[in-house]
Amino acid sequence: MSSSFRVQFIGATGTVTGSKYLLSYGRHRVLLDCGLFQGIKNVRRRNWAELPFQPSELDAVLLTHAHIDHSGYLPALMKQGYHKEIYCSEGTKALCKVLLPDAGYLQEEDAKYANKKKFSRHQPAEPLYTEEDARKVLRQFKAQSFAEPVQLPGGMTAEFFPVGHILGASAIRLTYEGKRITFSGDVGRSDDLIMYPPKPLPASDYLVVESTYGDRRHEDVDEHQVIADIINRTAARGGIVLMPAFAVGRAQMVLHILEQLRQQQRIPTMPIYLNSPMAIRATEIFFDLHEQHKLSREDCQRMDDITTYVKTVEESIELNNRKYPAVIISASGMASGGRVLHHLKTLIGDPRNSVLFLGYQAAGTRGDALTHGADHVKIHGQYFPVRAEVHNLQALSSHGDYVEIIDWLRHSSCQPKQVFITHGEDCAADAMRLKIEDELGWRAQVPEYLQSVEL
Ligand SMILES: [Zn+2]
């Protein structure tokens, strides 16, 4: 008789954030992904809830990729007693070195702000973890090559498979006593500009698949043309194009597009500034690991040649005094914080300028308000009139839509007897469940927060 093998869904249920799956087998326990809940307050509150397991009793942690909603709870897990290995791909380890300390810094800033405004129920407000905690947890990371399975305590094997999305992103298949369960992680595009398409999944008895775009398709636009038109129109007016961009992935993709447009002489020669310390470091990692994406060393060199890196705060402030046409790429991607806010304050009120958002804008963010036509925007407690052109180019998403994901699954060797749909808002997850049942004939369900199933 085989011993029990269970999976518990501790995040990414009814939301795209907080990914965490607990695997229990024999006397052993493994956590797959360790993400932070983000977005609206009721969801974020779960970051402070007691975990349904003892972190010190875990045998291992596995990570699909570096995004904070998959890795950002790790320093908190360490603070609660987890001191063993965190297995992931090389790209994930490199990016976590940049993303986790930044997340710790933001937690500290939020706590400071809450104390200043005295709106926290806890006096004084404490950060979930600090930048220093985040640096400490990096020592537990163990990079794994895609070809090499990891042998975990108690006879469990883990294998990593590349799925596009961002550098290092992986699906993970776990095998225990002949039973196989595969977690898709976040799945990339079938025809991404910089990342390879996801590799077909291996044979599996169970599948956990994401559904961010379970009910939506990406619009079919020529992103090069859209960007060239905005830049040319803005430059002709003597204006500046500001692009709020996510530091990992989107910033590198837009630099690549700009480099191609420049080479094809479809945009005039003008300075291109990358103003975000995190995006600069993510770009360096992207250049270093060039065998893990579509761009060659020469492509990366040309991107590097056209970019002016803005490193210090002084240089960033100085940039706001420039009056001639330029492109400024800065984080955060939804204008919820970071250096982009200072540029937005300076540029948004002048009709010669343009602001180009580059992807999904979560409800309640400035990016969401601006792309929906807000005529004023509040930044640092002050209102600014919106007179610049504002656009959103959603087609640059790093997630496959449901047609891309169903196609990918159809061409895999997966054939699971049960699929679990996670990592989507309720409507998106349910739409994905129906499509998988109708088009692939696989049994699918949408698990609830903290639900546990026996495999
Ligand atoms: Zn992701």
Side-chain angles (χ1 to χ4, degrees):
M1 204 188 82
S2 68
S3 45
S4 81
F5 185 13
R6 301 179 72 79
V7 55
Q8 187 178 14
F9 300 87
I10 311 178
T13 49
T15 162
V16 296
T17 68
S19 280
K20 281 182 214 79
Y21 306 99
L22 180 69
L23 285 302
S24 308
Y25 55 104
R27 288 177 293 107
H28 298 276
R29 284 174 162 202
V30 166
L31 189 68
L32 189 139
D33 276 350
C34 189
L36 208 59
F37 287 104
Q38 296 170 304
I40 61 169
K41 195 170 180 179
N42 280 347
V43 171
R44 275 185 287 134
R45 217 177 358 227
R46 290 183 185 165
N47 290 324
W48 296 90
E50 201 180 321
L51 291 166
F53 60 89
Q54 281 295 331
S56 59
E57 289 173 2
L58 289 174
D59 292 283
V61 174
L62 305 159
L63 283 193
T64 60
H65 67 292
H67 275 149
I68 288 300
D69 59 319
H70 294 257
S71 72
Y73 191 80
L74 282 169
L77 194 77
M78 176 202 72
K79 277 177 72 180
Q80 294 169 70
Y82 181 70
H83 301 296
K84 296 186 192 132
E85 276 86 7
I86 298 160
Y87 296 97
C88 62
S89 67
E90 187 189 359
T92 299
K93 181 178 172 182
L95 289 175
C96 278
K97 269 189 198 165
V98 182
L99 293 177
L100 288 179
D102 183 71
Y105 170 78
L106 292 178
Q107 300 278 349
E108 289 182 72
E109 289 297 300
D110 284 352
K112 265 189 222 161
Y113 186 71
N115 286 329
K116 206 167 106 190
K117 297 277 177 189
K118 302 205 186 323
F119 61 55
S120 172
R121 284 185 293 127
H122 311 277
Q123 293 295 346
E126 292 284 337
L128 189 59
Y129 56 85
T130 63
E131 185 176 344
E132 200 193 325
D133 294 328
R135 291 196 190 283
K136 265 192 219 154
V137 83
L138 294 172
R139 296 183 208 140
Q140 293 167 242
F141 275 65
K142 208 160 179 299
Q144 210 60 36
S145 84
F146 283 112
E148 197 185 341
V150 189
Q151 302 301 337
L152 298 169
M156 167 97 83
T157 307
E159 297 158 278
F160 293 73
F161 301 87
V163 285
H165 185 55
I166 60 165
L167 216 56
S170 323
I172 299 177
R173 177 169 75 168
L174 298 171
T175 307
Y176 175 66
E177 294 195 341
K179 284 181 190 163
R180 301 158 300 183
I181 179 167
T182 300
F183 293 81
S184 73
D186 288 3
V187 183
R189 310 291 301 274
S190 51
D191 191 18
D192 195 272
L193 289 173
I194 56 174
M195 299 305 299
Y196 289 115
K199 279 258 169 74
L201 286 182
S204 227
D205 307 300
Y206 300 91
L207 171 68
V208 180
V209 69
E210 71 125 319
S211 58
T212 314
Y213 286 88
D215 56 352
R216 274 173 298 167
R217 294 228 55 194
H218 295 306
E219 42 178 355
D220 188 16
V221 296
D222 179 348
E223 57 279 305
H224 286 72
Q225 197 55 49
V226 173
I227 292 178
D229 288 346
I230 292 170
I231 291 178
N232 286 320
R233 214 161 48 226
T234 310
R237 298 191 293 255
I240 291 173
V241 180
L242 175 64
M243 300 186 185
F246 303 94
V248 174
R250 229 63 54 84
Q252 291 79 45
M253 184 185 282
V254 80
L255 280 177
H256 170 59
I257 293 175
L258 292 173
E259 188 279 314
Q260 288 185 313
L261 291 174
R262 174 73 69 79
Q263 209 188 144
Q264 297 158 8
Q265 301 184 331
R266 291 164 68 185
I267 54 170
T269 302
M270 63 173 91
I272 294 169
Y273 298 104
L274 183 60
N275 184 15
S276 151
M278 197 161 56
I280 293 172
R281 288 199 55 201
T283 304
E284 285 166 1
I285 293 168
F286 185 83
F287 290 169
D288 278 352
L289 299 179
H290 66 86
E291 70 289 346
Q292 294 189 25
H293 54 73
K294 283 182 177 175
L295 306 189
S296 65
R297 198 189 292 272
E298 293 71 32
D299 292 327
C300 294
Q301 185 57 55
R302 285 198 304 272
M303 281 160 68
D304 190 44
D305 291 343
I306 62 158
T307 309
T308 305
Y309 300 99
V310 182
K311 292 194 170 156
T312 66
V313 173
E314 292 72 30
E315 288 171 328
S316 176
I317 293 167
E318 174 60 23
L319 198 52
N320 265 335
N321 300 323
R322 311 277 160 98
K323 297 292 176 233
Y324 46 79
V327 174
I328 301 174
I329 304 161
S330 188
S332 74
M334 300 184 198
S336 45
R339 288 184 182 178
V340 75
L341 293 183
H342 298 279
H343 295 311
L344 212 49
K345 278 173 22 182
T346 313
L347 300 173
I348 196 90
D350 186 335
R352 288 177 301 174
N353 301 326
S354 296
V355 180
L356 175 57
F357 288 90
L358 299 168
Y360 185 72
Q361 303 297 315
T365 57
R366 288 187 193 85
D368 182 51
L370 284 168
T371 53
H372 283 95
D375 55 6
H376 281 75
V377 59
K378 191 177 181 184
I379 305 170
H380 301 144
Q382 219 186 323
Y383 281 94
F384 295 83
V386 178
R387 297 203 186 93
E389 266 188 57
V390 178
H391 301 272
N392 189 11
L393 189 51
Q394 291 218 39
L396 292 185
S397 173
S398 58
H399 286 266
D401 63 26
Y402 70 85
V403 173
E404 290 170 275
I405 291 186
I406 298 262
D407 256 13
W408 171 62
L409 293 175
R410 201 194 309 277
H411 294 104
S412 73
S413 333
C414 209
Q415 295 296 332
K417 54 186 171 197
Q418 179 71 54
V419 183
F420 303 99
I421 318 279
T422 61
H423 202 287
E425 307 288 342
D426 288 331
C427 291
D430 204 52
M432 188 66 139
R433 176 185 67 79
L434 283 171
K435 300 218 171 71
I436 286 183
E437 290 194 334
D438 291 348
E439 295 194 28
L440 301 173
W442 298 350
R443 244 176 46 194
Q445 71 173 89
V446 180
E448 281 175 33
Y449 183 49
L450 298 180
Q451 189 180 331
S452 213
V453 289
E454 184 93 28
L455 303 182

